[in-house]
Amino acid sequence: DAGVIQSPRHEVTEMGQEVTLRCKPISGHDYLFWYRQTMMRGLELLIYFNNNVPIDDSGMPEDRFSAKMPNASFSTLKIQPSEPRDSAVYFCASSTGTIKGTEAFFGQGTRLTVV
Amino acid sequence: DQQVKQNSPSLSVQEGRISILNCDYTNSMFDYFLWYKKYPAEGPTFLISISSIKDKNEDGRFTVFLNKSAKHLSLHIVPSQPGDSAVYFCAATTYTNAGKSTFGDGTTLTVKP
């Protein structure tokens, strides 16, 4: 398995533009997570899905952020409109969700820069 | 309220010596704990875990210790190697919500040759 695949690896956009981050989880994993890493706040969970259904989106910072999982093999995180303070590394991760398999497998991340 | 805390942002150790990374948690409901390692420009990767029914789990050079009464866990790396230089994240979860982990801020370990 190729692991969790995120695209793009790097994104530079202007303030006010829409940004879409993409993620393909590991096949067979029924949990998918979106994390954001910043110097100030560390690694914070934004939202996670179980069997394509959003379970907890309490970490989503504002209404400008939205996430979807239309099927088991694809998820998007959208920011509209983007702001400079959204600049961060965004990670997607997946897991089986069972306690022994609770360890999450992370993608390589998308480094977002909003100028 | 940060439920998982790694109070040391960085740690520097000589090659061959022991590295000890610490983690404290406040939520007594946590009953499963994980350590992840992260290299620059990569995502975190799982390293080792421990259930609250144990106080120690060992995997090669890595050992995790859990002190439930103190709500404290630590990761020991013996002997430390330069390739261990990375950011180490502590994470905690519950058996009833195994899909969701809460992460600490990470500790940057530097192992000097």
Side-chain angles (χ1 to χ4, degrees):
Chain A
D1 198 319
V4 176
I5 300 173
Q6 290 185 249
S7 64
R9 289 295 309 276
H10 302 274
E11 176 79 34
V12 180
T13 190
E14 291 186 347
M15 182 174 63
Q17 295 297 306
E18 177 180 297
V19 175
T20 299
L21 311 182
R22 297 173 175 79
C23 175
K24 181 182 188 308
I26 293 174
S27 176
H29 283 188
D30 48 14
Y31 279 82
L32 182 139
F33 309 87
W34 283 101
Y35 287 90
R36 178 172 70 175
Q37 185 183 22
T38 62
M39 290 293 291
M40 292 296 292
R41 300 177 67 89
L43 193 63
E44 54 179 338
L45 178 66
L46 300 178
I47 185 172
Y48 77 98
F49 296 82
N50 178 214
N51 293 321
N52 313 340
V53 176
I55 301 301
D56 186 347
D57 65 353
S58 60
M60 296 286 260
E62 309 172 25
D63 292 344
R64 297 185 296 108
F65 286 70
S66 63
K68 294 182 179 180
M69 192 165 185
N71 57 62
S73 59
F74 183 65
S75 176
T76 60
L77 177 68
K78 184 179 294 186
I79 308 172
Q80 165 64 16
S82 57
E83 297 182 3
R85 60 194 168 118
D86 301 331
S87 297
V89 180
Y90 291 81
F91 289 103
C92 176
S94 68
S95 77
T96 62
T98 61
I99 196 61
K100 284 209 174 282
T102 196
E103 54 263 31
F105 292 78
F106 284 76
Q108 291 188 296
T110 295
R111 180 175 294 278
L112 173 65
T113 303
V114 183
V115 298
Chain B
D1 175 33
Q2 194 168 13
Q3 299 186 61
V4 178
K5 297 181 182 179
Q6 295 176 254
N7 292 318
S8 298
S10 62
L11 174 68
S12 183
V13 171
Q14 205 67 35
E15 181 180 7
R17 305 296 291 270
I18 185 171
S19 295
I20 301 177
L21 297 101
N22 294 302
C23 178
D24 297 294
Y25 61 97
T26 57
N27 188 342
S28 58
M29 298 298 291
F30 289 143
D31 48 21
Y32 196 75
F33 305 88
L34 309 95
W35 284 93
Y36 289 81
K37 179 168 71 174
K38 182 185 180 303
Y39 292 118
E42 295 183 11
T45 55
F46 170 74
L47 187 59
I48 192 170
S49 62
I50 188 167
S51 164
S52 61
I53 62 173
K54 295 185 176 181
D55 54 19
K56 176 183 174 181
N57 188 27
E58 191 172 353
D59 184 2
R61 297 185 297 113
F62 302 91
T63 303
V64 56
F65 295 92
L66 175 62
N67 183 333
K68 282 191 297 182
S69 60
K71 294 191 179 66
H72 176 83
L73 63 155
S74 60
L75 175 68
H76 293 211
I77 306 173
V78 183
S80 302
Q81 300 173 352
D84 296 329
S85 297
V87 178
Y88 289 79
F89 290 97
C90 170
T93 187
T94 64
Y95 276 86
T96 55
N97 194 8
K100 180 179 180 181
S101 290
T102 301
F103 282 78
D105 287 344
T107 296
T108 300
L109 173 66
T110 302
V111 180
K112 298 179 179 180

PDB file of all heavy atoms in Angstrom, chain A residues 11-43:
ATOM      1  N   GLU A  11       1.390  24.523  -1.263  1.00  0.00           N
ATOM      2  CA  GLU A  11       0.399  25.394  -1.877  1.00  0.00           C
ATOM      3  C   GLU A  11       0.669  26.806  -1.402  1.00  0.00           C
ATOM      4  O   GLU A  11       0.720  27.063  -0.193  1.00  0.00           O
ATOM      5  CB  GLU A  11      -1.003  24.952  -1.475  1.00  0.00           C
ATOM      6  CG  GLU A  11      -2.130  25.836  -1.978  1.00  0.00           C
ATOM      7  CD  GLU A  11      -2.474  25.576  -3.429  1.00  0.00           C
ATOM      8  OE1 GLU A  11      -2.363  24.417  -3.852  1.00  0.00           O
ATOM      9  OE2 GLU A  11      -2.841  26.535  -4.135  1.00  0.00           O
ATOM     10  N   VAL A  12       0.825  27.701  -2.358  1.00  0.00           N
ATOM     11  CA  VAL A  12       0.965  29.122  -2.043  1.00  0.00           C
ATOM     12  C   VAL A  12      -0.197  29.831  -2.703  1.00  0.00           C
ATOM     13  O   VAL A  12      -0.422  29.672  -3.911  1.00  0.00           O
ATOM     14  CB  VAL A  12       2.302  29.697  -2.553  1.00  0.00           C
ATOM     15  CG1 VAL A  12       2.399  31.184  -2.187  1.00  0.00           C
ATOM     16  CG2 VAL A  12       3.484  28.933  -1.970  1.00  0.00           C
ATOM     17  N   THR A  13      -0.931  30.588  -1.931  1.00  0.00           N
ATOM     18  CA  THR A  13      -2.111  31.245  -2.475  1.00  0.00           C
ATOM     19  C   THR A  13      -2.238  32.639  -1.886  1.00  0.00           C
ATOM     20  O   THR A  13      -1.637  32.961  -0.855  1.00  0.00           O
ATOM     21  CB  THR A  13      -3.368  30.424  -2.171  1.00  0.00           C
ATOM     22  OG1 THR A  13      -4.480  30.957  -2.906  1.00  0.00           O
ATOM     23  CG2 THR A  13      -3.705  30.468  -0.683  1.00  0.00           C
ATOM     24  N   GLU A  14      -3.011  33.446  -2.540  1.00  0.00           N
ATOM     25  CA  GLU A  14      -3.230  34.803  -2.056  1.00  0.00           C
ATOM     26  C   GLU A  14      -4.422  34.839  -1.112  1.00  0.00           C
ATOM     27  O   GLU A  14      -5.392  34.083  -1.290  1.00  0.00           O
ATOM     28  CB  GLU A  14      -3.456  35.758  -3.232  1.00  0.00           C
ATOM     29  CG  GLU A  14      -2.213  35.981  -4.059  1.00  0.00           C
ATOM     30  CD  GLU A  14      -2.442  37.042  -5.130  1.00  0.00           C
ATOM     31  OE1 GLU A  14      -3.621  37.398  -5.379  1.00  0.00           O
ATOM     32  OE2 GLU A  14      -1.445  37.502  -5.704  1.00  0.00           O
ATOM     33  N   MET A  15      -4.338  35.713  -0.163  1.00  0.00           N
ATOM     34  CA  MET A  15      -5.437  35.906   0.786  1.00  0.00           C
ATOM     35  C   MET A  15      -6.755  36.105   0.030  1.00  0.00           C
ATOM     36  O   MET A  15      -6.810  36.854  -0.959  1.00  0.00           O
ATOM     37  CB  MET A  15      -5.143  37.126   1.649  1.00  0.00           C
ATOM     38  CG  MET A  15      -6.176  37.418   2.702  1.00  0.00           C
ATOM     39  SD  MET A  15      -5.663  38.769   3.784  1.00  0.00           S
ATOM     40  CE  MET A  15      -5.580  40.118   2.642  1.00  0.00           C
ATOM     41  N   GLY A  16      -7.787  35.429   0.504  1.00  0.00           N
ATOM     42  CA  GLY A  16      -9.093  35.564  -0.111  1.00  0.00           C
ATOM     43  C   GLY A  16      -9.416  34.470  -1.107  1.00  0.00           C
ATOM     44  O   GLY A  16     -10.584  34.270  -1.463  1.00  0.00           O
ATOM     45  N   GLN A  17      -8.399  33.738  -1.535  1.00  0.00           N
ATOM     46  CA  GLN A  17      -8.624  32.672  -2.506  1.00  0.00           C
ATOM     47  C   GLN A  17      -9.107  31.402  -1.803  1.00  0.00           C
ATOM     48  O   GLN A  17      -8.872  31.177  -0.612  1.00  0.00           O
ATOM     49  CB  GLN A  17      -7.328  32.367  -3.265  1.00  0.00           C
ATOM     50  CG  GLN A  17      -6.846  33.520  -4.123  1.00  0.00           C
ATOM     51  CD  GLN A  17      -7.825  33.858  -5.221  1.00  0.00           C
ATOM     52  OE1 GLN A  17      -8.216  33.006  -6.012  1.00  0.00           O
ATOM     53  NE2 GLN A  17      -8.253  35.122  -5.257  1.00  0.00           N
ATOM     54  N   GLU A  18      -9.745  30.561  -2.583  1.00  0.00           N
ATOM     55  CA  GLU A  18     -10.177  29.263  -2.075  1.00  0.00           C
ATOM     56  C   GLU A  18      -9.041  28.256  -2.206  1.00  0.00           C
ATOM     57  O   GLU A  18      -8.332  28.242  -3.214  1.00  0.00           O
ATOM     58  CB  GLU A  18     -11.386  28.765  -2.870  1.00  0.00           C
ATOM     59  CG  GLU A  18     -11.870  27.379  -2.469  1.00  0.00           C
ATOM     60  CD  GLU A  18     -13.071  26.940  -3.285  1.00  0.00           C
ATOM     61  OE1 GLU A  18     -14.123  27.585  -3.192  1.00  0.00           O
ATOM     62  OE2 GLU A  18     -12.945  25.932  -4.014  1.00  0.00           O
ATOM     63  N   VAL A  19      -8.873  27.440  -1.169  1.00  0.00           N
ATOM     64  CA  VAL A  19      -7.837  26.414  -1.173  1.00  0.00           C
ATOM     65  C   VAL A  19      -8.485  25.066  -0.904  1.00  0.00           C
ATOM     66  O   VAL A  19      -9.323  24.943   0.002  1.00  0.00           O
ATOM     67  CB  VAL A  19      -6.785  26.691  -0.080  1.00  0.00           C
ATOM     68  CG1 VAL A  19      -5.786  25.557  -0.014  1.00  0.00           C
ATOM     69  CG2 VAL A  19      -6.077  28.009  -0.336  1.00  0.00           C
ATOM     70  N   THR A  20      -8.114  24.065  -1.670  1.00  0.00           N
ATOM     71  CA  THR A  20      -8.635  22.709  -1.464  1.00  0.00           C
ATOM     72  C   THR A  20      -7.479  21.743  -1.298  1.00  0.00           C
ATOM     73  O   THR A  20      -6.623  21.626  -2.183  1.00  0.00           O
ATOM     74  CB  THR A  20      -9.525  22.259  -2.620  1.00  0.00           C
ATOM     75  OG1 THR A  20     -10.644  23.143  -2.731  1.00  0.00           O
ATOM     76  CG2 THR A  20     -10.040  20.845  -2.367  1.00  0.00           C
ATOM     77  N   LEU A  21      -7.467  21.064  -0.168  1.00  0.00           N
ATOM     78  CA  LEU A  21      -6.453  20.053   0.111  1.00  0.00           C
ATOM     79  C   LEU A  21      -7.100  18.685  -0.045  1.00  0.00           C
ATOM     80  O   LEU A  21      -8.257  18.496   0.342  1.00  0.00           O
ATOM     81  CB  LEU A  21      -5.907  20.217   1.530  1.00  0.00           C
ATOM     82  CG  LEU A  21      -5.478  21.637   1.922  1.00  0.00           C
ATOM     83  CD1 LEU A  21      -4.918  21.635   3.333  1.00  0.00           C
ATOM     84  CD2 LEU A  21      -4.487  22.211   0.944  1.00  0.00           C
ATOM     85  N   ARG A  22      -6.336  17.741  -0.562  1.00  0.00           N
ATOM     86  CA  ARG A  22      -6.896  16.433  -0.888  1.00  0.00           C
ATOM     87  C   ARG A  22      -6.172  15.314  -0.159  1.00  0.00           C
ATOM     88  O   ARG A  22      -4.975  15.423   0.136  1.00  0.00           O
ATOM     89  CB  ARG A  22      -6.838  16.207  -2.398  1.00  0.00           C
ATOM     90  CG  ARG A  22      -7.680  17.196  -3.176  1.00  0.00           C
ATOM     91  CD  ARG A  22      -7.478  17.080  -4.674  1.00  0.00           C
ATOM     92  NE  ARG A  22      -8.378  17.966  -5.405  1.00  0.00           N
ATOM     93  CZ  ARG A  22      -8.196  19.263  -5.572  1.00  0.00           C
ATOM     94  NH1 ARG A  22      -7.124  19.860  -5.065  1.00  0.00           N
ATOM     95  NH2 ARG A  22      -9.075  19.975  -6.236  1.00  0.00           N
ATOM     96  N   CYS A  23      -6.909  14.235   0.090  1.00  0.00           N
ATOM     97  CA  CYS A  23      -6.341  13.121   0.834  1.00  0.00           C
ATOM     98  C   CYS A  23      -6.946  11.810   0.364  1.00  0.00           C
ATOM     99  O   CYS A  23      -8.165  11.686   0.186  1.00  0.00           O
ATOM    100  CB  CYS A  23      -6.600  13.291   2.334  1.00  0.00           C
ATOM    101  SG  CYS A  23      -6.066  11.887   3.337  1.00  0.00           S
ATOM    102  N   LYS A  24      -6.073  10.822   0.177  1.00  0.00           N
ATOM    103  CA  LYS A  24      -6.496   9.456  -0.100  1.00  0.00           C
ATOM    104  C   LYS A  24      -6.009   8.597   1.052  1.00  0.00           C
ATOM    105  O   LYS A  24      -4.804   8.415   1.221  1.00  0.00           O
ATOM    106  CB  LYS A  24      -5.914   8.975  -1.424  1.00  0.00           C
ATOM    107  CG  LYS A  24      -6.325   7.560  -1.811  1.00  0.00           C
ATOM    108  CD  LYS A  24      -5.674   7.143  -3.125  1.00  0.00           C
ATOM    109  CE  LYS A  24      -6.203   5.823  -3.655  1.00  0.00           C
ATOM    110  NZ  LYS A  24      -6.168   4.730  -2.667  1.00  0.00           N
ATOM    111  N   PRO A  25      -6.933   8.041   1.847  1.00  0.00           N
ATOM    112  CA  PRO A  25      -6.492   7.240   2.997  1.00  0.00           C
ATOM    113  C   PRO A  25      -6.034   5.852   2.575  1.00  0.00           C
ATOM    114  O   PRO A  25      -6.186   5.463   1.423  1.00  0.00           O
ATOM    115  CB  PRO A  25      -7.761   7.162   3.847  1.00  0.00           C
ATOM    116  CG  PRO A  25      -8.877   7.223   2.848  1.00  0.00           C
ATOM    117  CD  PRO A  25      -8.391   8.145   1.757  1.00  0.00           C
ATOM    118  N   ILE A  26      -5.507   5.119   3.515  1.00  0.00           N
ATOM    119  CA  ILE A  26      -5.116   3.737   3.260  1.00  0.00           C
ATOM    120  C   ILE A  26      -6.375   2.895   3.106  1.00  0.00           C
ATOM    121  O   ILE A  26      -7.320   3.021   3.905  1.00  0.00           O
ATOM    122  CB  ILE A  26      -4.240   3.205   4.407  1.00  0.00           C
ATOM    123  CG1 ILE A  26      -2.892   3.949   4.410  1.00  0.00           C
ATOM    124  CG2 ILE A  26      -4.022   1.701   4.296  1.00  0.00           C
ATOM    125  CD1 ILE A  26      -1.995   3.609   5.585  1.00  0.00           C
ATOM    126  N   SER A  27      -6.383   2.062   2.100  1.00  0.00           N
ATOM    127  CA  SER A  27      -7.531   1.217   1.842  1.00  0.00           C
ATOM    128  C   SER A  27      -7.830   0.329   3.050  1.00  0.00           C
ATOM    129  O   SER A  27      -6.932  -0.296   3.612  1.00  0.00           O
ATOM    130  CB  SER A  27      -7.250   0.345   0.610  1.00  0.00           C
ATOM    131  OG  SER A  27      -8.305  -0.547   0.381  1.00  0.00           O
ATOM    132  N   GLY A  28      -9.104   0.293   3.438  1.00  0.00           N
ATOM    133  CA  GLY A  28      -9.494  -0.534   4.568  1.00  0.00           C
ATOM    134  C   GLY A  28      -9.562   0.218   5.884  1.00  0.00           C
ATOM    135  O   GLY A  28     -10.108  -0.290   6.864  1.00  0.00           O
ATOM    136  N   HIS A  29      -8.982   1.402   5.922  1.00  0.00           N
ATOM    137  CA  HIS A  29      -9.063   2.218   7.128  1.00  0.00           C
ATOM    138  C   HIS A  29     -10.401   2.952   7.140  1.00  0.00           C
ATOM    139  O   HIS A  29     -10.758   3.598   6.154  1.00  0.00           O
ATOM    140  CB  HIS A  29      -7.911   3.223   7.174  1.00  0.00           C
ATOM    141  CG  HIS A  29      -6.610   2.605   7.566  1.00  0.00           C
ATOM    142  ND1 HIS A  29      -5.485   3.379   7.831  1.00  0.00           N
ATOM    143  CD2 HIS A  29      -6.245   1.322   7.754  1.00  0.00           C
ATOM    144  CE1 HIS A  29      -4.491   2.568   8.164  1.00  0.00           C
ATOM    145  NE2 HIS A  29      -4.923   1.313   8.121  1.00  0.00           N
ATOM    146  N   ASP A  30     -11.108   2.874   8.257  1.00  0.00           N
ATOM    147  CA  ASP A  30     -12.410   3.507   8.278  1.00  0.00           C
ATOM    148  C   ASP A  30     -12.446   4.801   9.086  1.00  0.00           C
ATOM    149  O   ASP A  30     -13.501   5.380   9.276  1.00  0.00           O
ATOM    150  CB  ASP A  30     -13.494   2.534   8.760  1.00  0.00           C
ATOM    151  CG  ASP A  30     -13.101   1.792  10.015  1.00  0.00           C
ATOM    152  OD1 ASP A  30     -12.126   2.206  10.676  1.00  0.00           O
ATOM    153  OD2 ASP A  30     -13.756   0.791  10.329  1.00  0.00           O
ATOM    154  N   TYR A  31     -11.279   5.218   9.603  1.00  0.00           N
ATOM    155  CA  TYR A  31     -11.190   6.525  10.242  1.00  0.00           C
ATOM    156  C   TYR A  31     -10.270   7.416   9.412  1.00  0.00           C
ATOM    157  O   TYR A  31      -9.197   6.979   8.975  1.00  0.00           O
ATOM    158  CB  TYR A  31     -10.614   6.411  11.656  1.00  0.00           C
ATOM    159  CG  TYR A  31     -11.617   5.986  12.705  1.00  0.00           C
ATOM    160  CD1 TYR A  31     -11.940   4.645  12.876  1.00  0.00           C
ATOM    161  CD2 TYR A  31     -12.222   6.915  13.523  1.00  0.00           C
ATOM    162  CE1 TYR A  31     -12.848   4.246  13.833  1.00  0.00           C
ATOM    163  CE2 TYR A  31     -13.130   6.528  14.500  1.00  0.00           C
ATOM    164  CZ  TYR A  31     -13.440   5.196  14.648  1.00  0.00           C
ATOM    165  OH  TYR A  31     -14.338   4.806  15.604  1.00  0.00           O
ATOM    166  N   LEU A  32     -10.671   8.673   9.246  1.00  0.00           N
ATOM    167  CA  LEU A  32      -9.835   9.639   8.551  1.00  0.00           C
ATOM    168  C   LEU A  32      -9.806  10.922   9.369  1.00  0.00           C
ATOM    169  O   LEU A  32     -10.837  11.376   9.865  1.00  0.00           O
ATOM    170  CB  LEU A  32     -10.361   9.916   7.137  1.00  0.00           C
ATOM    171  CG  LEU A  32      -9.501  10.884   6.313  1.00  0.00           C
ATOM    172  CD1 LEU A  32      -9.382  10.408   4.866  1.00  0.00           C
ATOM    173  CD2 LEU A  32      -9.997  12.307   6.369  1.00  0.00           C
ATOM    174  N   PHE A  33      -8.602  11.474   9.502  1.00  0.00           N
ATOM    175  CA  PHE A  33      -8.398  12.648  10.343  1.00  0.00           C
ATOM    176  C   PHE A  33      -7.729  13.754   9.538  1.00  0.00           C
ATOM    177  O   PHE A  33      -6.886  13.493   8.688  1.00  0.00           O
ATOM    178  CB  PHE A  33      -7.465  12.311  11.514  1.00  0.00           C
ATOM    179  CG  PHE A  33      -7.852  11.086  12.287  1.00  0.00           C
ATOM    180  CD1 PHE A  33      -7.409   9.831  11.880  1.00  0.00           C
ATOM    181  CD2 PHE A  33      -8.637  11.173  13.417  1.00  0.00           C
ATOM    182  CE1 PHE A  33      -7.752   8.684  12.593  1.00  0.00           C
ATOM    183  CE2 PHE A  33      -8.988  10.036  14.129  1.00  0.00           C
ATOM    184  CZ  PHE A  33      -8.549   8.792  13.720  1.00  0.00           C
ATOM    185  N   TRP A  34      -8.096  14.971   9.836  1.00  0.00           N
ATOM    186  CA  TRP A  34      -7.379  16.149   9.339  1.00  0.00           C
ATOM    187  C   TRP A  34      -6.776  16.874  10.539  1.00  0.00           C
ATOM    188  O   TRP A  34      -7.485  17.237  11.482  1.00  0.00           O
ATOM    189  CB  TRP A  34      -8.302  17.101   8.581  1.00  0.00           C
ATOM    190  CG  TRP A  34      -8.642  16.657   7.193  1.00  0.00           C
ATOM    191  CD1 TRP A  34      -9.787  16.066   6.766  1.00  0.00           C
ATOM    192  CD2 TRP A  34      -7.822  16.820   6.025  1.00  0.00           C
ATOM    193  NE1 TRP A  34      -9.729  15.823   5.411  1.00  0.00           N
ATOM    194  CE2 TRP A  34      -8.535  16.281   4.939  1.00  0.00           C
ATOM    195  CE3 TRP A  34      -6.555  17.355   5.793  1.00  0.00           C
ATOM    196  CZ2 TRP A  34      -8.032  16.267   3.634  1.00  0.00           C
ATOM    197  CZ3 TRP A  34      -6.051  17.345   4.515  1.00  0.00           C
ATOM    198  CH2 TRP A  34      -6.789  16.800   3.444  1.00  0.00           C
ATOM    199  N   TYR A  35      -5.458  17.077  10.486  1.00  0.00           N
ATOM    200  CA  TYR A  35      -4.728  17.798  11.530  1.00  0.00           C
ATOM    201  C   TYR A  35      -4.072  19.028  10.921  1.00  0.00           C
ATOM    202  O   TYR A  35      -3.767  19.077   9.733  1.00  0.00           O
ATOM    203  CB  TYR A  35      -3.616  16.923  12.126  1.00  0.00           C
ATOM    204  CG  TYR A  35      -4.065  15.804  13.029  1.00  0.00           C
ATOM    205  CD1 TYR A  35      -4.340  14.543  12.511  1.00  0.00           C
ATOM    206  CD2 TYR A  35      -4.187  15.983  14.403  1.00  0.00           C
ATOM    207  CE1 TYR A  35      -4.735  13.493  13.340  1.00  0.00           C
ATOM    208  CE2 TYR A  35      -4.576  14.943  15.244  1.00  0.00           C
ATOM    209  CZ  TYR A  35      -4.842  13.705  14.700  1.00  0.00           C
ATOM    210  OH  TYR A  35      -5.222  12.677  15.515  1.00  0.00           O
ATOM    211  N   ARG A  36      -3.812  19.990  11.785  1.00  0.00           N
ATOM    212  CA  ARG A  36      -3.060  21.167  11.382  1.00  0.00           C
ATOM    213  C   ARG A  36      -1.906  21.349  12.353  1.00  0.00           C
ATOM    214  O   ARG A  36      -2.094  21.244  13.582  1.00  0.00           O
ATOM    215  CB  ARG A  36      -3.958  22.410  11.393  1.00  0.00           C
ATOM    216  CG  ARG A  36      -3.258  23.689  11.044  1.00  0.00           C
ATOM    217  CD  ARG A  36      -4.226  24.839  10.873  1.00  0.00           C
ATOM    218  NE  ARG A  36      -4.834  25.257  12.130  1.00  0.00           N
ATOM    219  CZ  ARG A  36      -5.640  26.316  12.233  1.00  0.00           C
ATOM    220  NH1 ARG A  36      -5.924  27.030  11.161  1.00  0.00           N
ATOM    221  NH2 ARG A  36      -6.164  26.640  13.397  1.00  0.00           N
ATOM    222  N   GLN A  37      -0.729  21.604  11.823  1.00  0.00           N
ATOM    223  CA  GLN A  37       0.431  21.831  12.680  1.00  0.00           C
ATOM    224  C   GLN A  37       0.945  23.247  12.498  1.00  0.00           C
ATOM    225  O   GLN A  37       1.263  23.662  11.377  1.00  0.00           O
ATOM    226  CB  GLN A  37       1.554  20.838  12.381  1.00  0.00           C
ATOM    227  CG  GLN A  37       2.731  20.973  13.345  1.00  0.00           C
ATOM    228  CD  GLN A  37       3.885  20.056  13.025  1.00  0.00           C
ATOM    229  OE1 GLN A  37       4.037  19.588  11.914  1.00  0.00           O
ATOM    230  NE2 GLN A  37       4.720  19.796  14.012  1.00  0.00           N
ATOM    231  N   THR A  38       1.027  23.969  13.605  1.00  0.00           N
ATOM    232  CA  THR A  38       1.612  25.302  13.606  1.00  0.00           C
ATOM    233  C   THR A  38       2.587  25.408  14.772  1.00  0.00           C
ATOM    234  O   THR A  38       2.541  24.600  15.704  1.00  0.00           O
ATOM    235  CB  THR A  38       0.541  26.396  13.758  1.00  0.00           C
ATOM    236  OG1 THR A  38      -0.117  26.206  15.033  1.00  0.00           O
ATOM    237  CG2 THR A  38      -0.490  26.337  12.656  1.00  0.00           C
ATOM    238  N   MET A  39       3.446  26.398  14.708  1.00  0.00           N
ATOM    239  CA  MET A  39       4.396  26.600  15.808  1.00  0.00           C
ATOM    240  C   MET A  39       3.656  26.949  17.084  1.00  0.00           C
ATOM    241  O   MET A  39       4.026  26.521  18.171  1.00  0.00           O
ATOM    242  CB  MET A  39       5.385  27.700  15.433  1.00  0.00           C
ATOM    243  CG  MET A  39       6.356  27.323  14.345  1.00  0.00           C
ATOM    244  SD  MET A  39       7.498  26.046  14.892  1.00  0.00           S
ATOM    245  CE  MET A  39       8.465  26.962  16.078  1.00  0.00           C
ATOM    246  N   MET A  40       2.606  27.738  16.949  1.00  0.00           N
ATOM    247  CA  MET A  40       1.913  28.242  18.136  1.00  0.00           C
ATOM    248  C   MET A  40       1.029  27.178  18.794  1.00  0.00           C
ATOM    249  O   MET A  40       0.938  27.115  20.019  1.00  0.00           O
ATOM    250  CB  MET A  40       1.056  29.448  17.758  1.00  0.00           C
ATOM    251  CG  MET A  40       1.854  30.667  17.353  1.00  0.00           C
ATOM    252  SD  MET A  40       2.834  31.301  18.714  1.00  0.00           S
ATOM    253  CE  MET A  40       1.542  31.902  19.795  1.00  0.00           C
ATOM    254  N   ARG A  41       0.385  26.349  18.013  1.00  0.00           N
ATOM    255  CA  ARG A  41      -0.648  25.458  18.550  1.00  0.00           C
ATOM    256  C   ARG A  41      -0.296  23.974  18.434  1.00  0.00           C
ATOM    257  O   ARG A  41      -1.077  23.119  18.830  1.00  0.00           O
ATOM    258  CB  ARG A  41      -1.980  25.726  17.846  1.00  0.00           C
ATOM    259  CG  ARG A  41      -2.477  27.152  18.020  1.00  0.00           C
ATOM    260  CD  ARG A  41      -3.757  27.365  17.224  1.00  0.00           C
ATOM    261  NE  ARG A  41      -4.863  26.591  17.767  1.00  0.00           N
ATOM    262  CZ  ARG A  41      -5.684  27.018  18.707  1.00  0.00           C
ATOM    263  NH1 ARG A  41      -5.514  28.220  19.222  1.00  0.00           N
ATOM    264  NH2 ARG A  41      -6.681  26.258  19.136  1.00  0.00           N
ATOM    265  N   GLY A  42       0.882  23.690  17.889  1.00  0.00           N
ATOM    266  CA  GLY A  42       1.287  22.292  17.789  1.00  0.00           C
ATOM    267  C   GLY A  42       0.436  21.543  16.789  1.00  0.00           C
ATOM    268  O   GLY A  42      -0.024  22.098  15.787  1.00  0.00           O
ATOM    269  N   LEU A  43       0.179  20.261  17.070  1.00  0.00           N
ATOM    270  CA  LEU A  43      -0.587  19.395  16.178  1.00  0.00           C
ATOM    271  C   LEU A  43      -2.014  19.321  16.708  1.00  0.00           C
ATOM    272  O   LEU A  43      -2.275  18.718  17.745  1.00  0.00           O
ATOM    273  CB  LEU A  43       0.063  18.018  16.147  1.00  0.00           C
ATOM    274  CG  LEU A  43      -0.379  17.044  15.060  1.00  0.00           C
ATOM    275  CD1 LEU A  43      -0.029  17.592  13.688  1.00  0.00           C
ATOM    276  CD2 LEU A  43       0.296  15.699  15.266  1.00  0.00           C
TER     277      LEU A  43
END
